[in-house]
Amino acid sequence: MTTAISVRSAGTTARQAAPSAPGGGNGDKGGSGDKSDEMKEVCAITRSTVQAAIEVLAGTRPINQLARRLDQRCLTALQHRAFLTRREAVRAPRKLGGLHRNPAVRSVRACEVTPDIYEASAVVLDELRARAVAVRLERSKQVWRVTALEIG
């Protein structure tokens, strides 16, 4: 029942594992189509959230724009990391001047843990390096919220 999708920004490449439904059929009653749509939604939310989080670290986006998407613990941790990043950039502008510059989410992959919990990973490229981002999304009252955000 686990489905993985790889979405790349340099094209429209998408990879999806075959659903493991009993009987091996596709089923007419909203089986894999609903899961595929949900997986695409989770990947899109992950992509936009990761892009916004990296922009917060760069200082080009206010953190309050992520308040509806991140839970309070993640929001506080991201705010603290953004503060530390800016403080270090002031101390060593040559060394960290290009850090988080022109970030682009290159790929996103997601995996269903339970029907209301997904874990996703993303690869982000900026001018200096590539970094990995891990995200855990949980659905509450039909709204997806990020409950864990780890930026490498």
Side-chain angles (χ1 to χ4, degrees):
M1 180 120 124
T2 301
T3 305
I5 289 185
S6 176
V7 181
R8 300 191 184 267
S9 62
T12 57
T13 305
R15 183 177 16 166
Q16 177 176 345
S20 57
N26 285 348
D28 298 334
K29 298 183 180 177
S32 66
D34 291 344
K35 286 295 180 187
S36 178
D37 291 344
E38 187 173 84
M39 183 69 72
K40 288 178 184 177
E41 177 187 9
V42 167
C43 286
I45 291 169
T46 300
R47 178 178 292 281
S48 62
T49 303
V50 167
Q51 180 74 37
I54 296 295
E55 290 171 1
V56 166
L57 291 178
T60 59
R61 180 186 293 261
I63 194 159
N64 61 359
Q65 290 184 3
L66 286 170
R68 295 180 68 202
R69 182 67 63 201
L70 300 178
D71 73 349
Q72 188 59 43
R73 189 178 49 82
C74 288
L75 195 67
T76 303
L78 182 63
Q79 186 174 24
H80 181 68
R81 182 169 174 175
F83 168 76
L84 293 176
T85 301
R86 283 191 299 275
R87 186 176 74 182
E88 285 303 310
V90 168
R91 289 182 181 175
R94 288 180 151 261
K95 181 179 173 186
L96 298 174
L99 192 62
H100 307 301
R101 277 249 164 101
N102 299 322
V105 179
R106 300 303 278 175
S107 66
V108 174
R109 296 189 66 143
C111 180
E112 180 182 37
V113 177
T114 68
D116 289 330
I117 299 173
Y118 278 80
E119 291 184 347
S121 62
V123 176
V124 179
L125 297 178
D126 61 28
E127 286 183 3
L128 294 181
R129 67 185 213 183
R131 64 181 68 242
V133 180
V135 178
R136 183 178 179 99
L137 294 108
E138 297 182 11
R139 182 171 32 207
S140 173
K141 300 176 186 174
Q142 302 304 322
V143 175
W144 290 101
R145 290 188 69 94
V146 174
T147 59
L149 176 68
E150 296 293 329
I151 302 172

mmCIF file of all heavy atoms in Angstrom, residues 87-113:
data_model
loop_
_atom_site.group_PDB
_atom_site.id
_atom_site.type_symbol
_atom_site.label_atom_id
_atom_site.label_comp_id
_atom_site.label_asym_id
_atom_site.label_seq_id
_atom_site.Cartn_x
_atom_site.Cartn_y
_atom_site.Cartn_z
ATOM 1 N N ARG A 87 22.966 35.636 12.127
ATOM 2 C CA ARG A 87 24.014 36.115 13.032
ATOM 3 C C ARG A 87 25.401 35.679 12.540
ATOM 4 O O ARG A 87 26.335 36.469 12.527
ATOM 5 C CB ARG A 87 23.771 35.594 14.442
ATOM 6 C CG ARG A 87 24.738 36.183 15.460
ATOM 7 C CD ARG A 87 24.435 35.744 16.841
ATOM 8 N NE ARG A 87 24.857 34.351 16.981
ATOM 9 C CZ ARG A 87 24.691 33.634 18.076
ATOM 10 N NH1 ARG A 87 24.070 34.152 19.110
ATOM 11 N NH2 ARG A 87 25.113 32.398 18.129
ATOM 12 N N GLU A 88 25.514 34.434 12.107
ATOM 13 C CA GLU A 88 26.799 33.951 11.589
ATOM 14 C C GLU A 88 27.157 34.625 10.269
ATOM 15 O O GLU A 88 28.323 34.863 9.985
ATOM 16 C CB GLU A 88 26.771 32.431 11.413
ATOM 17 C CG GLU A 88 26.870 31.686 12.716
ATOM 18 C CD GLU A 88 28.124 32.044 13.507
ATOM 19 O OE1 GLU A 88 29.232 32.019 12.931
ATOM 20 O OE2 GLU A 88 28.000 32.356 14.702
ATOM 21 N N ALA A 89 26.166 34.935 9.439
ATOM 22 C CA ALA A 89 26.430 35.605 8.165
ATOM 23 C C ALA A 89 26.984 37.010 8.397
ATOM 24 O O ALA A 89 27.811 37.491 7.620
ATOM 25 C CB ALA A 89 25.164 35.664 7.324
ATOM 26 N N VAL A 90 26.559 37.667 9.470
ATOM 27 C CA VAL A 90 27.076 38.995 9.796
ATOM 28 C C VAL A 90 28.521 38.890 10.267
ATOM 29 O O VAL A 90 29.364 39.717 9.927
ATOM 30 C CB VAL A 90 26.190 39.674 10.871
ATOM 31 C CG1 VAL A 90 26.847 40.914 11.437
ATOM 32 C CG2 VAL A 90 24.835 39.993 10.290
ATOM 33 N N ARG A 91 28.824 37.845 11.027
ATOM 34 C CA ARG A 91 30.184 37.663 11.547
ATOM 35 C C ARG A 91 31.181 37.279 10.452
ATOM 36 O O ARG A 91 32.327 37.684 10.487
ATOM 37 C CB ARG A 91 30.205 36.567 12.614
ATOM 38 C CG ARG A 91 29.552 36.968 13.887
ATOM 39 C CD ARG A 91 29.662 35.862 14.892
ATOM 40 N NE ARG A 91 29.006 36.225 16.125
ATOM 41 C CZ ARG A 91 28.862 35.412 17.143
ATOM 42 N NH1 ARG A 91 29.330 34.191 17.083
ATOM 43 N NH2 ARG A 91 28.251 35.816 18.225
ATOM 44 N N ALA A 92 30.757 36.437 9.517
ATOM 45 C CA ALA A 92 31.652 35.954 8.458
ATOM 46 C C ALA A 92 30.961 36.111 7.098
ATOM 47 O O ALA A 92 30.554 35.125 6.495
ATOM 48 C CB ALA A 92 32.021 34.498 8.711
ATOM 49 N N PRO A 93 30.832 37.341 6.607
ATOM 50 C CA PRO A 93 30.068 37.563 5.375
ATOM 51 C C PRO A 93 30.663 36.885 4.141
ATOM 52 O O PRO A 93 29.931 36.454 3.263
ATOM 53 C CB PRO A 93 30.057 39.081 5.220
ATOM 54 C CG PRO A 93 31.127 39.596 6.106
ATOM 55 C CD PRO A 93 31.349 38.568 7.169
ATOM 56 N N ARG A 94 31.985 36.770 4.051
ATOM 57 C CA ARG A 94 32.584 36.118 2.876
ATOM 58 C C ARG A 94 32.280 34.624 2.871
ATOM 59 O O ARG A 94 31.980 34.053 1.841
ATOM 60 C CB ARG A 94 34.099 36.311 2.864
ATOM 61 C CG ARG A 94 34.520 37.698 2.545
ATOM 62 C CD ARG A 94 36.051 37.765 2.556
ATOM 63 N NE ARG A 94 36.497 38.781 1.645
ATOM 64 C CZ ARG A 94 36.922 38.552 0.413
ATOM 65 N NH1 ARG A 94 36.968 37.341 -0.048
ATOM 66 N NH2 ARG A 94 37.300 39.545 -0.353
ATOM 67 N N LYS A 95 32.363 34.016 4.027
ATOM 68 C CA LYS A 95 32.193 32.566 4.130
ATOM 69 C C LYS A 95 30.739 32.156 3.892
ATOM 70 O O LYS A 95 30.458 31.188 3.217
ATOM 71 C CB LYS A 95 32.646 32.106 5.519
ATOM 72 C CG LYS A 95 32.549 30.624 5.742
ATOM 73 C CD LYS A 95 33.046 30.278 7.134
ATOM 74 C CE LYS A 95 32.817 28.834 7.450
ATOM 75 N NZ LYS A 95 33.161 28.510 8.827
ATOM 76 N N LEU A 96 29.793 32.896 4.465
ATOM 77 C CA LEU A 96 28.383 32.509 4.397
ATOM 78 C C LEU A 96 27.559 33.402 3.480
ATOM 79 O O LEU A 96 26.343 33.297 3.464
ATOM 80 C CB LEU A 96 27.784 32.538 5.809
ATOM 81 C CG LEU A 96 28.403 31.570 6.803
ATOM 82 C CD1 LEU A 96 27.836 31.802 8.189
ATOM 83 C CD2 LEU A 96 28.187 30.141 6.374
ATOM 84 N N GLY A 97 28.209 34.253 2.717
ATOM 85 C CA GLY A 97 27.477 35.179 1.860
ATOM 86 C C GLY A 97 26.596 34.504 0.830
ATOM 87 O O GLY A 97 25.519 34.981 0.504
ATOM 88 N N GLY A 98 27.030 33.365 0.287
ATOM 89 C CA GLY A 98 26.245 32.670 -0.732
ATOM 90 C C GLY A 98 25.344 31.593 -0.181
ATOM 91 O O GLY A 98 24.631 30.932 -0.931
ATOM 92 N N LEU A 99 25.361 31.409 1.130
ATOM 93 C CA LEU A 99 24.544 30.371 1.748
ATOM 94 C C LEU A 99 23.061 30.681 1.577
ATOM 95 O O LEU A 99 22.631 31.803 1.836
ATOM 96 C CB LEU A 99 24.883 30.265 3.235
ATOM 97 C CG LEU A 99 24.330 29.059 3.983
ATOM 98 C CD1 LEU A 99 24.888 27.774 3.379
ATOM 99 C CD2 LEU A 99 24.703 29.137 5.436
ATOM 100 N N HIS A 100 22.311 29.724 1.131
ATOM 101 C CA HIS A 100 20.867 29.844 0.901
ATOM 102 C C HIS A 100 20.540 30.848 -0.209
ATOM 103 O O HIS A 100 19.461 31.405 -0.227
ATOM 104 C CB HIS A 100 20.114 30.228 2.178
ATOM 105 C CG HIS A 100 20.394 29.339 3.336
ATOM 106 N ND1 HIS A 100 20.156 27.995 3.298
ATOM 107 C CD2 HIS A 100 20.899 29.596 4.564
ATOM 108 C CE1 HIS A 100 20.504 27.462 4.455
ATOM 109 N NE2 HIS A 100 20.959 28.406 5.239
ATOM 110 N N ARG A 101 21.466 31.080 -1.113
ATOM 111 C CA ARG A 101 21.210 31.985 -2.228
ATOM 112 C C ARG A 101 20.598 31.213 -3.387
ATOM 113 O O ARG A 101 21.070 30.143 -3.740
ATOM 114 C CB ARG A 101 22.519 32.615 -2.707
ATOM 115 C CG ARG A 101 22.925 33.796 -1.900
ATOM 116 C CD ARG A 101 22.769 35.030 -2.778
ATOM 117 N NE ARG A 101 22.780 36.237 -2.018
ATOM 118 C CZ ARG A 101 23.819 37.017 -1.908
ATOM 119 N NH1 ARG A 101 24.952 36.706 -2.469
ATOM 120 N NH2 ARG A 101 23.720 38.120 -1.218
ATOM 121 N N ASN A 102 19.562 31.750 -3.958
ATOM 122 C CA ASN A 102 18.864 31.151 -5.099
ATOM 123 C C ASN A 102 18.516 29.681 -4.869
ATOM 124 O O ASN A 102 18.867 28.818 -5.663
ATOM 125 C CB ASN A 102 19.694 31.297 -6.380
ATOM 126 C CG ASN A 102 19.941 32.726 -6.728
ATOM 127 O OD1 ASN A 102 19.060 33.571 -6.559
ATOM 128 N ND2 ASN A 102 21.142 33.029 -7.197
ATOM 129 N N PRO A 103 17.839 29.367 -3.794
ATOM 130 C CA PRO A 103 17.518 27.962 -3.539
ATOM 131 C C PRO A 103 16.453 27.459 -4.501
ATOM 132 O O PRO A 103 15.539 28.191 -4.890
ATOM 133 C CB PRO A 103 16.978 27.977 -2.108
ATOM 134 C CG PRO A 103 16.401 29.343 -1.955
ATOM 135 C CD PRO A 103 17.279 30.248 -2.773
ATOM 136 N N ALA A 104 16.593 26.208 -4.908
ATOM 137 C CA ALA A 104 15.618 25.582 -5.791
ATOM 138 C C ALA A 104 15.398 24.145 -5.339
ATOM 139 O O ALA A 104 16.354 23.393 -5.155
ATOM 140 C CB ALA A 104 16.113 25.602 -7.234
ATOM 141 N N VAL A 105 14.157 23.787 -5.146
ATOM 142 C CA VAL A 105 13.817 22.405 -4.786
ATOM 143 C C VAL A 105 13.895 21.583 -6.067
ATOM 144 O O VAL A 105 13.160 21.827 -7.018
ATOM 145 C CB VAL A 105 12.412 22.317 -4.157
ATOM 146 C CG1 VAL A 105 12.074 20.874 -3.818
ATOM 147 C CG2 VAL A 105 12.325 23.194 -2.917
ATOM 148 N N ARG A 106 14.813 20.623 -6.104
ATOM 149 C CA ARG A 106 15.031 19.837 -7.315
ATOM 150 C C ARG A 106 14.182 18.578 -7.370
ATOM 151 O O ARG A 106 13.781 18.173 -8.446
ATOM 152 C CB ARG A 106 16.510 19.453 -7.442
ATOM 153 C CG ARG A 106 17.410 20.638 -7.522
ATOM 154 C CD ARG A 106 17.062 21.536 -8.662
ATOM 155 N NE ARG A 106 17.653 21.012 -9.876
ATOM 156 C CZ ARG A 106 17.460 21.511 -11.068
ATOM 157 N NH1 ARG A 106 16.677 22.534 -11.224
ATOM 158 N NH2 ARG A 106 18.043 20.986 -12.100
ATOM 159 N N SER A 107 13.942 17.946 -6.242
ATOM 160 C CA SER A 107 13.109 16.745 -6.262
ATOM 161 C C SER A 107 12.444 16.553 -4.916
ATOM 162 O O SER A 107 12.934 17.022 -3.892
ATOM 163 C CB SER A 107 13.944 15.508 -6.621
ATOM 164 O OG SER A 107 14.886 15.235 -5.615
ATOM 165 N N VAL A 108 11.309 15.869 -4.951
ATOM 166 C CA VAL A 108 10.537 15.571 -3.751
ATOM 167 C C VAL A 108 10.058 14.132 -3.854
ATOM 168 O O VAL A 108 9.584 13.705 -4.907
ATOM 169 C CB VAL A 108 9.316 16.517 -3.607
ATOM 170 C CG1 VAL A 108 8.445 16.096 -2.435
ATOM 171 C CG2 VAL A 108 9.758 17.950 -3.448
ATOM 172 N N ARG A 109 10.177 13.398 -2.767
ATOM 173 C CA ARG A 109 9.657 12.030 -2.691
ATOM 174 C C ARG A 109 8.870 11.909 -1.406
ATOM 175 O O ARG A 109 9.257 12.469 -0.389
ATOM 176 C CB ARG A 109 10.796 11.025 -2.693
ATOM 177 C CG ARG A 109 11.585 11.048 -3.987
ATOM 178 C CD ARG A 109 12.534 9.920 -4.005
ATOM 179 N NE ARG A 109 11.765 8.684 -4.055
ATOM 180 C CZ ARG A 109 12.123 7.616 -4.726
ATOM 181 N NH1 ARG A 109 13.241 7.614 -5.378
ATOM 182 N NH2 ARG A 109 11.382 6.532 -4.727
ATOM 183 N N ALA A 110 7.767 11.180 -1.466
ATOM 184 C CA ALA A 110 6.929 11.011 -0.283
ATOM 185 C C ALA A 110 6.551 9.543 -0.115
ATOM 186 O O ALA A 110 6.509 8.784 -1.085
ATOM 187 C CB ALA A 110 5.667 11.862 -0.399
ATOM 188 N N CYS A 111 6.277 9.179 1.110
ATOM 189 C CA CYS A 111 5.901 7.810 1.446
ATOM 190 C C CYS A 111 4.789 7.863 2.497
ATOM 191 O O CYS A 111 4.889 8.601 3.472
ATOM 192 C CB CYS A 111 7.122 7.077 1.997
ATOM 193 S SG CYS A 111 6.797 5.371 2.451
ATOM 194 N N GLU A 112 3.760 7.072 2.287
ATOM 195 C CA GLU A 112 2.650 7.019 3.228
ATOM 196 C C GLU A 112 3.031 6.151 4.421
ATOM 197 O O GLU A 112 3.448 5.013 4.254
ATOM 198 C CB GLU A 112 1.412 6.456 2.534
ATOM 199 C CG GLU A 112 0.211 6.369 3.427
ATOM 200 C CD GLU A 112 -0.982 5.753 2.722
ATOM 201 O OE1 GLU A 112 -0.782 4.812 1.918
ATOM 202 O OE2 GLU A 112 -2.100 6.207 2.973
ATOM 203 N N VAL A 113 2.890 6.694 5.615
ATOM 204 C CA VAL A 113 3.143 5.942 6.839
ATOM 205 C C VAL A 113 1.824 5.346 7.330
ATOM 206 O O VAL A 113 1.733 4.150 7.610
ATOM 207 C CB VAL A 113 3.781 6.845 7.917
ATOM 208 C CG1 VAL A 113 3.974 6.087 9.216
ATOM 209 C CG2 VAL A 113 5.098 7.415 7.422
#
